[in-house]
Amino acid sequence: MYSDMTTFDNILEEAGPFGRCQKRIFALLCLVSLPFAGVYVGIVFQGFTPDHWCRVPAVVDRRQTCGWTPGEGQRWTAPLVNISGELKPSSCERYDLDWNTTDLTCDPEDLDLDLTGVKATTCKDGWEYDYEGRNSFVTEFDLVCSDGWLVDMFQSTLNVGFLIGSFAFGYLADRFGRRLSFLVSNVINVTSGMVVALAPNYISILVFRGVFGFAVKGGWMTCYVLMTEVVGKEYRRTVGILFQMLFSVGNLILPLLAYFITDWRWMQVTFAAPYILFVSYYWLVPESPRWLLSQNKASTALQITEALAKENRQKLSVPDLETLTEEGGDSPSASLLDLVRTPNMRKHTFIFMFNWFTSAVVYQGLIMRVGIAGGNVYLDFFISGLVEFPAAFLILFTIERIGRRLPFATANIIAGVSCLITAFIPESLFWFKTVVACVGRLGITMAFEMVVFVNTELYPTFVRNLGLSVCSTLCDVGGIVSPFLLYRLANIWLELPLIIFGAVAIVAGGLVLLLPETKGVPLPETIDDIEFPNRKQDLLL
């Protein structure tokens, strides 16, 4: 029997909070995080920029005839320039010589060329690449030197797509349902993802890359919300963390894929193909009963909940879902104003916005900073991905015993302090500097994984997807800003970005302490549950 103050959490407990049905749904939806990793950070391999220098046709012909190494040809064509205090052959300039009138022998040691005072000029005949068989879009479209900024656009258009998709699908999922929105996103994913792989010019690649990001992000977030809404409150944290942990698994698979798939277009096909499978989820995964209740569709919600209970081999008493729906008192139509109209909702919205921004800036910034060091790109990427796994286990261990707020705040503060300490450790203590930086990466990974599920726990059902979508748009803004913060500030002082990262992470941690604890608290159904959290608890006692 149900009391007059029955919540959907009570009904779900009887139907089975994490039974066979939810485990099946969870196993299916978790797979969505795997290709998302490739979409998000695949640019490391798809946009790989190898060593390059100006192509001089006469020298290339002589090199091929005489069997010179690329370095021997580069020696006579590229002037030395100062790069980070070290003289290296220029990637963007060549000696201004008419090599067709220059007497070239097959023994480079016999060449007696006085290049002193010879002017340098820009590359006129394209570039040569030391790419060892990897075909990236950089080598295909010669996106180096003055056109190097177009590589950044490949990632920026993705983040712009993320930004728009967060708003659009946040609204669509709360207005038309989680399941339909997820179907639409996957159809767009397959179409746009394949078009990117087949596009004949770089402008069309950028356009459809943006469309791809638009649908990928919207579908991923809709999937996350649906998953957390069909499990009991004691399992929400676990499924949320494991869902994101599959993103880290995707990060480990990515360098392995890249090692064997050396053409960026075929990698793109690999990233887009799984979304063909996800289209079938429309028939395999039910709609969220919570969302149906928020839309006053009680009979449909009851049918789905009874089917869920049956699959879980549980017997469900028939609750008065009509009364449960009327009790909400909120309009089923989600509005942006609902996120800022009342004091607590407004406070939560601004704190989550800042935390999403901080997580993206620091997380991406630390990953890119590792990449600046060079080395084996496959091995370095794999090792940096391993650092993320302890984060998931630390979260599950701490939030079970302590709660959400303190671990969330501590993770941010540890990340910030680690960044500040790393900035002042001398290069001579390389391994110590690396270890401290890894602690920072661990901390911000924890914060990034926690902001998602804490965000969903502090918004009522009818605006939960919209609230998560709007706040997470700041993650996309952070993704756009982070490369500029890293590379522009590093030109002033290499460690300056770390100081900025450290400062914003510490502030984010402090703001988290202003949020309420959500451990063991039912998901809020109405705005009143947010503004007067003790009222419902008192009535339930």
Side-chain angles (χ1 to χ4, degrees):
M1 295 295 293
Y2 295 99
S3 69
D4 292 338
M5 290 302 297
T6 299
T7 67
F8 183 73
D9 281 315
N10 299 138
I11 301 168
L12 198 57
E13 283 297 319
E14 184 174 350
F18 194 58
R20 249 168 110 183
C21 183
Q22 288 101 326
K23 288 173 183 175
R24 175 179 62 83
I25 294 170
F26 172 67
L28 289 172
L29 296 184
C30 263
L31 296 177
V32 176
S33 275
L34 289 175
F36 185 59
V39 174
Y40 192 46
V41 293
I43 188 176
V44 173
F45 301 101
Q46 289 183 295
F48 178 67
T49 303
D51 290 338
H52 53 278
W53 57 91
C54 295
R55 184 178 185 275
V56 179
V59 176
V60 172
D61 291 341
R62 177 58 56 181
R63 192 185 78 208
Q64 292 172 347
T65 301
C66 299
W68 290 356
T69 65
E72 288 171 332
Q74 184 186 18
R75 171 184 172 188
W76 301 110
T77 58
L80 296 177
V81 293
N82 191 325
I83 301 175
S84 299
E86 191 177 341
L87 286 177
K88 296 181 179 179
S90 174
S91 297
C92 303
E93 291 182 322
R94 48 164 281 190
Y95 285 118
D96 192 9
L97 286 174
D98 183 2
W99 288 96
N100 291 314
T101 61
T102 303
D103 185 21
L104 292 177
T105 68
C106 277
D107 187 354
E109 298 300 329
D110 290 343
L111 287 176
D112 187 18
L113 294 178
D114 183 8
L115 300 173
T116 306
V118 177
K119 292 182 179 179
T121 185
T122 56
C123 300
K124 300 174 181 177
D125 300 292
W127 285 263
E128 290 190 82
Y129 298 97
D130 185 15
Y131 58 86
E132 298 179 356
R134 170 162 292 283
N135 179 34
S136 72
F137 62 78
V138 173
T139 59
E140 181 174 332
F141 296 102
D142 284 336
L143 303 182
V144 292
C145 298
S146 61
D147 288 333
W149 64 277
L150 288 169
V151 180
D152 301 332
M153 288 299 295
F154 186 80
Q155 194 70 359
S156 293
T157 52
L158 180 76
N159 279 284
V160 169
F162 282 176
L163 189 66
I164 300 171
S166 295
F167 276 107
F169 278 92
Y171 172 78
L172 291 172
D174 282 332
R175 181 70 181 84
F176 299 104
R178 293 18 174 168
R179 197 172 60 134
L180 180 61
S181 297
F182 188 58
L183 173 66
V184 170
S185 78
N186 287 317
V187 172
I188 298 174
N189 287 337
V190 173
T191 307
S192 59
M194 292 301 181
V195 171
V196 170
L198 299 171
N201 58 69
Y202 198 63
I203 296 301
S204 58
I205 287 172
L206 293 181
V207 170
F208 285 98
R209 170 82 164 164
V211 175
F212 193 38
F214 164 81
V216 166
K217 178 70 178 291
W220 185 85
M221 287 181 11
T222 302
C223 173
Y224 180 90
V225 170
L226 172 58
M227 188 173 60
T228 57
E229 287 184 339
V230 298
V231 301
K233 63 178 183 290
E234 68 269 30
Y235 294 99
R236 291 195 310 255
R237 61 189 182 277
T238 305
V239 298
I241 295 299
L242 293 178
F243 180 67
Q244 294 175 84
M245 191 171 164
L246 264 289
F247 177 87
S248 298
V249 173
N251 275 342
L252 296 182
I253 296 173
L254 181 57
L256 184 65
L257 281 175
Y259 184 80
F260 291 103
I261 304 174
T262 57
D263 188 285
W264 78 271
R265 290 184 184 273
W266 281 109
M267 284 194 71
Q268 178 63 32
V269 170
T270 305
F271 298 156
Y275 293 99
I276 299 173
L277 170 67
F278 300 151
V279 169
S280 67
Y281 284 15
Y282 183 77
W283 295 274
L284 298 175
V285 176
E287 181 56 89
S288 164
R290 289 183 191 274
W291 176 79
L292 289 167
L293 285 173
S294 75
Q295 301 296 300
N296 295 323
K297 297 179 179 179
S299 59
T300 308
L302 178 59
Q303 289 175 5
I304 292 174
T305 309
E306 287 179 330
L308 185 150
K310 183 178 180 181
E311 189 174 341
N312 288 344
R313 298 177 180 175
Q314 300 293 325
K315 183 68 175 175
L316 183 68
S317 304
V318 181
D320 189 356
L321 291 180
E322 296 290 348
T323 305
L324 179 66
T325 304
E326 291 170 8
E327 186 185 278
D330 282 313
S331 166
S333 298
S335 165
L336 284 172
L337 286 177
D338 291 321
L339 304 179
V340 294
R341 185 182 290 120
T342 53
N344 281 343
M345 289 284 286
R346 185 163 54 246
K347 179 182 73 173
H348 296 173
T349 298
F350 289 136
I351 290 175
F352 282 123
M353 280 182 166
F354 187 81
N355 269 270
W356 274 106
F357 176 81
T358 299
S359 295
V361 166
V362 180
Y363 179 78
Q364 291 189 44
L366 290 178
I367 288 177
M368 290 185 295
R369 188 178 183 277
V370 172
I372 294 175
N376 186 315
V377 65
Y378 305 103
L379 184 60
D380 291 348
F381 194 94
F382 183 83
I383 292 173
S384 65
L386 284 175
V387 176
E388 298 186 4
F389 281 90
F393 295 110
L394 280 172
I395 292 170
L396 293 172
F397 180 79
T398 55
I399 63 176
E400 176 71 25
R401 294 160 177 77
I402 303 171
R404 274 71 155 154
R405 183 174 56 183
L406 194 55
F408 188 11
T410 303
N412 269 303
I413 292 169
I414 287 175
V417 171
S418 297
C419 286
L420 292 176
I421 293 174
T422 303
F424 294 100
I425 298 175
E427 290 295 333
S428 57
L429 299 174
F430 174 76
W431 287 109
F432 180 54
K433 192 179 183 81
T434 301
V435 169
V436 177
C438 283
V439 172
R441 170 79 180 272
L442 176 65
I444 202 61
T445 301
M446 284 184 65
F448 216 158
E449 293 183 355
M450 291 194 73
V451 69
V452 186
F453 74 85
V454 176
N455 199 154
T456 61
E457 290 180 339
L458 281 172
Y459 280 114
T461 299
F462 79 103
V463 290
R464 184 168 298 122
N465 210 102
L466 181 63
L468 178 62
S469 300
V470 169
C471 292
S472 70
T473 56
L474 270 293
C475 168
D476 307 322
V477 174
I480 296 170
V481 169
S482 188
F484 295 99
L485 275 177
L486 180 72
Y487 297 120
R488 295 314 104 206
L489 294 180
N491 286 336
I492 301 170
W493 178 35
L494 184 61
E495 310 298 354
L496 185 56
L498 285 176
I499 294 176
I500 303 298
F501 297 157
V504 295
I506 291 171
V507 172
L511 290 174
V512 168
L513 294 174
L514 301 177
L515 294 172
E517 179 56 65
T518 57
K519 178 189 174 186
V521 177
L523 283 174
E525 303 291 342
T526 71
I527 287 180
D528 277 355
D529 292 342
I530 298 295
E531 296 302 320
F532 309 103
N534 295 327
R535 179 187 296 175
K536 190 170 185 178
Q537 292 294 322
D538 292 341
L539 289 171
L540 287 170
L541 292 177

